[in-house]
Amino acid sequence: MQKINTIGVLTSGGDAPGMNAAIRAVVRTGKYYGMKVMGIRKGYEGLIHGDIFEMTARDVSDIMHRGGTVLQTARSKDFKEIEGVRRGISTARYFEIEGIVVIGGDGSFRGARDLCSEGMPAVAIPATIDNDIACTEYTIGFDTAINTAKDAVDKIRDTASSHERCNIIKVMGRASGNIALNVGIATGAEAVLIPEMEVDFERDIVEPINAGHKRDKKHYIIIIAEGVSGCNDLDKRIEEHLGIETRTTILGYIQRGGSPTVMDRVYASQMGSYAVELLKDGVNNRIIGIRDSKIYEIDIFEGLNIPSTFREDLVSLSKILSI
Ligand code: ADP
């Protein structure tokens, strides 16, 4: 087996807390095995345009506790075309890069798949706050995001309980209800609305609020994922139908930032290190993930073809516990 001397690392797509811990693990594991490690800025854009520099073990000191990504991230239209992928590979070869660690979401994984198909070894690490990649139980950034949202909802609940009021809190998740479901259960929400399930105003909102009212509830929390359609005027409808003062809070980008939790730092460290070990051992074309709570790897093509599911068990649990 030919020894790999130089690897590259990039972050791509949406940023997620914990990406820095993954970069640090890639750089330090690479150095541990005597490799040269090249940082690629701004994802596939930087790969195409040669925004590439050598990273030392000290370059990744003091970054683990920071949100975002020191390598910056970007979306690259050009990389979706085969020409862009080929240009990226020829730039990588110019910098003598023999394998690339891609840290990002499933869009970024498709880019990594194309790198492999065109002859550049790549290993992908899942990092997205949505935890919406089917081939892994966990994606870096999720724990930090749900804890940030949980803290915000707890604070809103404090003020809600001082009045008889309904608070609607919109959390991130365009296509995935994972953040909403977990935050809803963790904060004892009366209702959780997710993009994977059609919303029925009577069944999902009116009934739980009326049931809570009969059981002497004083306030109501509704968690809604941003991707749920047709719910823009939910606060007005609740006020009109139920006569309860209703406020909406959109949590927005605060969910993407902040210092990563221990869980995110540890998974990111494990996955970053494992990615380098795979490349070192000549294994590529892999997504690293978590299965049965353990690190594992899967072929990128196979991993991308696994259909998405959602946690129906958590939907039921949230309903049972909100009575
Ligand atoms: P994420 O990785 O967070 O899902 P995106 O879906 O925006 O974010 O993807 C990030 C980048 O990955 C895109 O800007 C593009 O360069 C690359 N990418 C996305 N989809 C594909 C694809 N189908 N083929 C090749 N590259 C892709």
Side-chain angles (χ1 to χ4, degrees):
M1 188 179 50
Q2 211 187 323
K3 187 175 176 293
I4 284 205
N5 296 307
T6 306
I7 57 169
V9 55
L10 62 81
T11 49
S12 164
D15 65 315
M19 280 182 159
N20 282 329
I23 296 167
R24 172 178 177 272
V26 170
V27 173
R28 294 213 170 152
T29 308
K31 297 316 276 180
Y32 178 82
Y33 289 118
M35 296 172 181
K36 198 165 159 182
V37 184
M38 307 300 284
I40 302 161
R41 288 194 193 91
K42 298 187 187 140
Y44 295 124
E45 275 299 287
L47 183 63
I48 291 175
H49 299 292
D51 196 351
I52 295 172
F53 64 105
E54 187 174 351
M55 295 183 87
T56 68
R58 291 287 72 74
D59 287 333
V60 290
S61 297
D62 288 331
I63 67 167
M64 183 140 68
H65 57 289
R66 283 196 244 150
T69 156
V70 292
L71 287 177
Q72 299 177 276
T73 177
R75 296 204 153 86
S76 170
K77 248 199 204 154
D78 291 344
F79 206 77
K80 288 192 175 176
E81 308 297 329
I82 197 70
E83 272 319 302
V85 177
R86 289 184 182 148
R87 278 173 61 202
I89 292 177
S90 78
T91 312
R93 294 212 170 113
Y94 174 82
F95 284 91
E96 297 178 342
I97 292 170
E98 298 154 284
I100 298 179
V101 179
V102 170
I103 304 166
D106 60 351
S108 304
F109 289 5
R110 288 176 216 286
R113 171 203 62 197
D114 295 348
L115 282 172
C116 294
S117 306
E118 291 297 309
M120 172 58 65
V123 173
I125 295 177
T128 159
I129 61 163
D130 290 325
N131 200 19
D132 60 348
I133 299 180
C135 65
T136 178
E137 287 163 14
Y138 192 76
T139 63
I140 296 165
F142 181 62
D143 190 54
T144 306
I146 54 178
N147 274 289
T148 302
K150 177 268 296 170
D151 286 345
V153 176
D154 283 349
K155 286 175 182 147
I156 291 167
R157 181 181 279 284
D158 286 345
T159 106
S161 56
S162 312
H163 312 260
E164 178 159 7
R165 190 179 269 176
C166 174
N167 279 88
I168 299 170
I169 297 135
K170 200 176 261 194
V171 298
M172 279 189 165
R174 264 191 227 125
S176 158
N178 283 325
I179 293 180
L181 268 177
N182 282 271
V183 171
I185 289 173
T187 59
E190 274 60 43
V192 180
L193 310 180
I194 59 174
E196 293 92 336
M197 292 180 77
E198 192 120 350
V199 178
D200 179 312
F201 183 68
E202 196 58 36
R203 179 196 63 201
D204 299 328
I205 307 286
V206 175
E207 281 174 20
I209 290 183
N210 277 336
H213 187 73
K214 280 192 198 127
R215 291 194 185 93
D216 237 11
K217 281 202 178 186
K218 296 282 178 272
H219 58 269
Y220 313 91
I221 300 273
I222 297 173
I223 306 287
I224 173 168
E226 63 181 344
V228 175
S229 54
C231 283
N232 285 343
D233 58 349
L234 201 56
D235 38 14
K236 277 201 200 86
R237 288 172 71 191
I238 291 172
E239 289 193 343
E240 278 163 19
H241 276 75
L242 293 155
I244 299 171
E245 191 184 350
T246 304
R247 295 278 180 274
T248 299
T249 307
I250 300 172
L251 294 188
Y253 278 95
I254 62 162
Q255 294 160 94
R256 268 189 198 276
S259 183
T261 59
V262 170
M263 182 166 169
D264 276 325
R265 295 182 199 194
V266 173
Y267 272 144
S269 301
Q270 285 181 285
M271 290 187 190
S273 197
Y274 192 53
V276 176
E277 285 179 351
L278 288 180
L279 288 173
K280 174 181 82 64
D281 294 341
V283 182
N284 73 85
N285 192 26
R286 289 290 190 281
I287 295 170
I288 295 175
I290 303 292
R291 191 167 59 188
D292 299 329
S293 305
K294 291 197 186 74
I295 301 265
Y296 89 115
E297 80 210 50
I298 183 168
D299 177 273
I300 293 189
F301 294 82
E302 231 179 278
L304 282 172
N305 279 333
I306 296 179
S308 303
T309 52
F310 73 100
R311 295 287 304 270
E312 287 183 58
D313 58 323
L314 293 186
V315 175
S316 312
L317 179 66
S318 143
K319 284 188 179 145
I320 293 170
L321 298 185
S322 67
I323 63 165

